[in-house]
Amino acid sequence: MAGSGGFREECGIVGVWGHPEASNLAYLALYALQHRGQESAGVVSTDGSSLWVHKGMGLVSDVFDQQVLARLRGSGAIGHVRYSTTGATHLRNAQPFVVGHRGGGLAIAHNGNLVNAHLLREELEGRGSLFQSTMDTEVIVHLMAASSRPSTRERLVEALSQVKGSYSLVLLTERGLLAARDPHGFRPLVMGRRQEAVVIASETCALDLIEAEFLREVEPGEILEVDSRGLRGYKAFRAEKHQCVFELIYFARPDSQVFSRNVYQVRKAMGRALAREHAVDADMVVPIPDSGVPAAIGYSQESGIPFELGLVRNHYVGRTFIEPREQIRHFGVKVKLNPVRGFMEGKRVILVDDSIVRGTTSRKLVNLVRQAGASQVHVRISSPPTIGSCYYGIDTPTREELIASCRPVEEVRDFIGADSLGYLSLEGIREAVGGKAGEFCMACFTDDYPVEVPLEKPVHQLSLFQEM
Ligand code: SF4
């Protein structure tokens, strides 16, 4: 249900250095990362003397064609797919963000959200900086420009020492590629190799697509630099891990390796734990596709209740789908999901999904399954109740809009119209993800935010450049 209008993916990034078809590889890798952002896409390449840029609104397939890719010359490239978390949605905010810097060019692609960007921006503007976009990412570039350190890497370290929040980023100049991950490691970032070329990407599914070998994660607080002198890693900041557990619950692709874990296996483990915590007599386990599938398989395997694809997703409903007016609004959910006719007639159905956000989509889905003839509908959620917003790179509704923030479980059950409702506990999540307690951010479940959050949304984000 998160995938149906609740928490939204943030951004996906890629960097390639040392390959004659760097921009083509970056473009292909963006296809694998499309689930992390569908509003804009861009690639910047370098041939050692210039930066070549192409960005556009829409999906990767809308933005690039063969002529465009042929113009993106050189053996170094970075790419970005965006779903905006900060800054309005329009081309000016599409990434990679490119500026002139010390006689050359500099391009940056960022996944995350800087919680103190508005304060830094005010300070920088007070000192004469002129901003081109409403993106928090631009703050990093201005801080680098203000630094007197001799190298690009040192200027980046100085800039990053002043920002707070989440960043996984890649940065390109005519001379090299840099990658950095914040000390908390909120967002994933991995490194691989394709022959001699170094590849950096948000998720391993991007490495798989371009047949790059996965080497390791970029560590929290680490900066990587690759240029004509080879690849070097620097521990720039002391790591204090708070990796986003929602990447494992919902955001990352199930075929990815994230935070040294196999996402598919973790989701199945969540489903198994859910079956142990919230057992119920039923005839079938039905996932909300696609996000609920691995957890539903786990639930089915643990409970011995058959797994069935009772709902089928239409994969061709793009982001441009317009919700119909109120009188016919219930068609909205049917455009995306349709029950297999006659299949659930008279059956007791366990409906498995990853989260409930506002509750409205869940209510429609429960109703859809009842209309399909189910005699009972038991909803099982493979994460705890979502009670807080995210400030670290995920677009979320406000706290007031989150149904679990203001209603106990029994009232949520009543609202969505299910016969029973069970959420996976915090202990269940911890057990499923494994590792040390505390190395994950779970703030949207616990209200315990690892990095201090702003009191209110900065005004300039709302007022500047509101183009239609
Ligand atoms: Fe992830 Fe939630 Fe933490 Fe945001 S608040 S980083 S969505 S776990």
Side-chain angles (χ1 to χ4, degrees):
M1 297 165 204
S4 311
F7 280 33
R8 309 229 348 222
E9 303 90 334
E10 48 317 8
C11 299
I13 59 172
V14 61
V16 180
W17 187 263
H19 195 282
E21 294 193 68
S23 60
N24 265 291
L25 292 177
Y27 153 76
L28 289 169
L30 290 183
Y31 262 103
L33 300 174
Q34 187 76 83
H35 62 291
R36 299 184 72 87
Q38 298 93 44
E39 291 189 351
S40 68
V43 168
V44 175
S45 72
T46 184
D47 54 7
S49 53
S50 302
L51 294 187
W52 303 90
V53 186
H54 185 77
K55 301 187 274 187
M57 302 305 291
L59 301 172
V60 177
S61 56
D62 301 329
V63 172
F64 295 96
D65 59 29
Q66 276 198 329
Q67 283 89 347
V68 164
L69 288 168
R71 286 200 299 271
L72 294 169
R73 295 199 281 270
S75 57
I78 61 172
H80 189 268
V81 284
R82 172 178 166 85
Y83 174 75
S84 67
T85 52
T86 301
T89 300
H90 52 74
L91 192 54
R92 198 192 314 245
N93 283 341
Q95 291 197 19
F97 186 72
V98 188
V99 289
H101 184 65
R102 314 262 164 138
L106 187 151
I108 185 168
H110 171 208
N111 171 204
N113 187 45
L114 309 178
V115 297
N116 65 336
H118 58 299
L119 300 174
L120 291 168
R121 182 177 172 131
E122 269 166 30
E123 230 178 274
L124 286 158
E125 284 176 333
R127 284 192 261 142
S129 289
L130 291 172
F131 279 75
Q132 297 174 31
S133 75
T134 54
M135 283 183 294
D136 58 343
T137 313
E138 195 180 345
V139 166
I140 297 173
V141 175
H142 284 269
L143 289 172
M144 286 180 72
S147 167
S148 57
R149 309 295 260 166
S151 71
T152 307
R153 176 178 54 82
E154 288 167 290
R155 288 194 285 277
L156 178 63
V157 172
E158 188 168 319
L160 295 180
S161 67
Q162 297 168 71
V163 304
K164 291 182 184 152
S166 65
Y167 57 81
S168 281
L169 54 89
V170 283
L171 196 145
L172 185 75
T173 69
E174 291 86 350
R175 288 170 301 285
L177 174 77
L178 287 155
R181 191 163 167 223
D182 71 71
H184 303 275
F186 281 111
R187 302 287 141 230
L189 196 63
V190 294
M191 175 176 63
R193 268 200 189 272
R194 189 190 145 94
Q195 290 119 19
E196 296 309 306
V198 173
V199 183
I200 308 290
S202 294
E203 293 184 33
T204 57
C205 63
L207 303 183
D208 295 343
L209 192 149
I210 60 172
E211 296 180 350
E213 182 197 354
F214 168 58
L215 295 181
R216 65 172 177 88
E217 295 201 321
V218 178
E219 292 298 323
E222 186 181 26
I223 291 189
L224 292 180
E225 186 171 23
V226 54
D227 54 24
S228 56
R229 293 188 292 141
L231 174 68
R232 300 170 306 279
Y234 302 88
K235 292 260 180 262
F237 304 104
R238 196 168 60 83
E240 199 186 326
K241 276 189 185 176
H242 291 106
Q243 303 165 122
C244 171
V245 78
F246 238 118
E247 292 277 355
L248 293 169
I249 295 168
Y250 167 67
F251 298 126
R253 256 175 54 163
D255 52 336
S256 279
Q257 191 84 10
V258 163
F259 308 143
S260 308
R261 286 153 176 85
N262 179 300
V263 176
Y264 178 70
Q265 298 288 9
V266 169
R267 286 183 193 165
K268 277 211 312 187
M270 288 169 183
R272 282 197 294 275
L274 187 59
R276 288 192 294 274
E277 290 183 9
H278 296 285
V280 61
D281 255 353
D283 301 304
M284 60 176 72
V285 178
V286 172
I288 304 298
D290 297 318
S291 55
V293 171
I297 292 172
Y299 194 105
S300 164
Q301 288 177 349
E302 184 72 19
S303 64
I305 300 169
F307 170 92
E308 300 285 4
L309 275 176
L311 293 167
V312 175
R313 177 172 287 275
N314 178 350
H315 287 103
Y316 302 96
V317 185
R319 70 201 158 78
T320 49
F321 172 67
I322 300 158
E323 283 280 337
R325 287 198 312 272
E326 200 55 52
Q327 301 92 305
I328 54 167
R329 193 174 274 276
H330 61 281
F331 286 134
V333 80
K334 285 191 182 170
V335 170
K336 294 173 192 158
L337 290 167
N338 194 38
V340 179
R341 190 173 282 271
F343 190 70
M344 293 186 275
E345 191 84 52
K347 298 289 194 295
R348 297 165 299 167
V349 173
I350 300 172
L351 209 51
V352 178
D353 203 0
D354 51 80
S355 55
I356 297 178
V357 181
R358 294 182 180 85
T360 45
T361 303
S362 310
R363 182 156 73 166
K364 288 175 192 167
L365 289 167
V366 169
N367 194 32
L368 197 65
V369 172
R370 284 206 196 282
Q371 281 177 1
S375 60
Q376 294 175 18
V377 185
H378 302 278
V379 174
R380 295 293 179 268
I381 301 298
S382 62
S383 65
T386 310
I387 56 168
S389 301
C390 178
Y391 300 91
Y392 312 132
I394 304 296
D395 184 60
T396 55
T398 60
R399 177 179 295 266
E400 297 68 42
E401 291 173 290
L402 296 167
I403 189 166
S405 76
C406 49
R407 299 190 197 211
V409 174
E410 181 50 27
E411 278 185 34
V412 178
R413 183 206 62 73
D414 189 49
F415 178 81
I416 65 173
D419 292 284
S420 73
L421 169 64
Y423 289 93
L424 184 60
S425 66
L426 276 169
E427 294 67 39
I429 282 278
R430 288 195 185 106
E431 191 193 322
V433 298
K436 288 189 203 133
E439 70 177 28
F440 283 93
C441 174
M442 300 198 185
C444 46
F445 307 129
T446 61
D447 236 357
D448 183 11
Y449 288 88
V451 174
E452 196 184 345
V453 294
L455 291 175
E456 59 186 43
K457 205 161 189 161
V459 172
H460 70 262
Q461 285 177 15
L462 303 172
S463 58
L464 269 189
F465 307 134
Q466 292 295 328
E467 294 171 356
M468 295 302 287

